[in-house]
Amino acid sequence: MSFSNRRLSILLLLTFLAGCSIKPKTPPPEPVMAPAQRQQQLAAMQQFTVQASMGLKSPAESVSGNLRWQQFNNTDYQARLANMLGISLFELRQQADLTELLVRGERYQATDASSLLWQLAGWSIPLHDMALWLRGLPGDSATELEYDHAGRLISFTLTDSTGIRWQLSYRSFFNDALSLPKQLQLQSDDTQIRLVIRSWQP
């Protein structure tokens, strides 16, 4: 082997070894909390921020973008859905008994967020219990609850404030003891919503 070929082989070997050495290792999943303890911890999460990718398909339109949901307490929250260019599709703020919604540059107020969004955008999300089902908890209207072997809620049916019936499924969870939801899907008769949560922040 010539000197130049030997040198090239050594460089390729060093590059391969360097690549192997910096490859991140995936930490092993933590054991999930006992169901009662996990339920208690999830219910105690009154303040949190979720960053997620969202896709929605309805007869009115198809929407995809980035969702930021910030929960202030048990009832108050604000949310923003922006498309891939960063342009806001809607901004929502729920405070006390009043909902304020910003759509297409216009600001509206109502007592029910889901009904207002449906009237203005032609599609809706079950917003009333969203702070619960984001965490993996059912709301008061939830029926047909199913759990996995670890005691995690994996699917249920809910009826939102507009009367639309949704089937919600949890497709995956984060690999920590609290096992917060990571991938969710909601399906009604004519609308499908997919959420992939990138991060949870207390």
Side-chain angles (χ1 to χ4, degrees), residues 23-200:
K23 185 178 180 180
K25 294 182 179 179
T26 302
E30 297 180 33
V32 180
M33 290 180 184
Q37 182 185 8
R38 179 174 177 268
Q39 188 90 356
Q40 184 179 22
Q41 293 275 355
L42 291 174
M45 288 179 62
Q46 298 297 311
Q47 297 180 354
F48 59 87
T49 300
V50 167
Q51 302 277 1
S53 299
M54 177 176 156
L56 178 146
K57 291 183 179 180
S58 75
E61 61 179 326
S62 294
V63 175
S64 62
N66 297 307
L67 175 70
R68 185 178 190 271
W69 182 282
Q70 187 174 7
Q71 191 74 29
F72 300 113
N73 52 46
N74 192 39
T75 58
D76 297 350
Y77 62 84
Q78 66 180 19
R80 180 177 186 264
L81 178 65
N83 65 19
M84 298 306 177
L85 298 176
I87 299 173
S88 178
L89 300 176
F90 76 79
E91 295 181 35
L92 176 67
R93 184 174 182 88
Q94 172 72 40
Q95 193 170 16
D97 294 327
L98 185 66
T99 298
E100 188 175 75
L101 183 65
L102 182 65
V103 177
R104 302 183 184 95
E106 298 290 333
R107 195 173 299 274
Y108 305 86
Q109 291 183 340
T111 56
D112 181 70
S114 292
S115 297
L116 183 60
L117 184 60
W118 188 85
Q119 291 172 12
L120 297 175
W123 49 268
S124 186
I125 307 172
L127 292 164
H128 178 69
D129 290 332
M130 191 163 173
L132 292 173
W133 57 254
L134 276 175
R135 288 175 280 168
L137 297 170
D140 294 337
S141 69
T143 59
E144 303 173 22
L145 283 68
E146 294 186 19
Y147 295 86
D148 65 7
H149 65 280
R152 298 175 299 196
L153 184 64
I154 56 172
S155 72
F156 64 90
T157 300
L158 66 90
T159 302
D160 68 14
S161 58
T162 67
I164 298 174
R165 188 175 174 86
W166 298 88
Q167 177 68 37
L168 190 150
S169 303
Y170 297 95
R171 299 302 181 89
S172 67
F173 300 86
F174 283 93
N175 291 328
D176 55 23
L178 193 53
S179 196
L180 285 163
K182 186 174 184 179
Q183 296 186 42
L184 305 82
Q185 178 173 302
L186 294 98
Q187 181 76 54
S188 70
D189 287 340
D190 58 8
T191 301
Q192 183 183 85
I193 300 172
R194 291 186 178 182
L195 282 171
V196 179
I197 298 176
R198 298 190 298 272
S199 67
W200 285 88

